[in-house]
Amino acid sequence: QLPEDSFVLYLAGKIKYMQKDYDNAQTFIIRSLEKKQTPEVKNLLALNYLAQEQFEKANNIFTSMLK
């Protein structure tokens, strides 16, 4: 069962990202974003997409953050 707090989900995603467990990181990060959209979470999701070579998805997030 996943935690419900957006910050806890973000931290879990960041840990998984740092462990190079990108699939599980993405699950936690997206759940965090669904609860609360912050620049830190969006940035981590974009970096996670980059690590998975999903360049278009990463670029879309980075571009949207510049607006």
Side-chain angles (χ1 to χ4, degrees):
Q1 173 146 352
L2 294 176
E4 292 301 317
D5 182 78
S6 64
F7 186 66
V8 173
L9 288 163
Y10 165 75
L11 289 178
K14 187 160 189 163
I15 290 167
K16 292 296 183 185
Y17 171 78
M18 294 174 76
Q19 293 174 333
K20 298 182 177 5
D21 183 0
Y22 302 121
D23 289 335
N24 283 318
Q26 186 169 319
T27 300
F28 285 113
I29 298 164
I30 289 173
R31 283 290 301 274
S32 178
L33 266 178
E34 289 170 350
K35 305 219 172 272
K36 186 175 182 184
Q37 295 204 3
T38 66
E40 294 82 10
V41 180
K42 289 180 182 179
N43 185 63
L44 183 57
L45 181 58
L47 291 173
N48 197 64
Y49 282 142
L50 279 178
Q52 297 178 81
E53 298 183 4
Q54 296 182 27
F55 302 117
E56 189 172 338
K57 287 182 178 182
N59 184 53
N60 289 341
I61 293 172
F62 287 137
T63 302
S64 73
M65 291 175 67
L66 294 173
K67 296 178 181 174

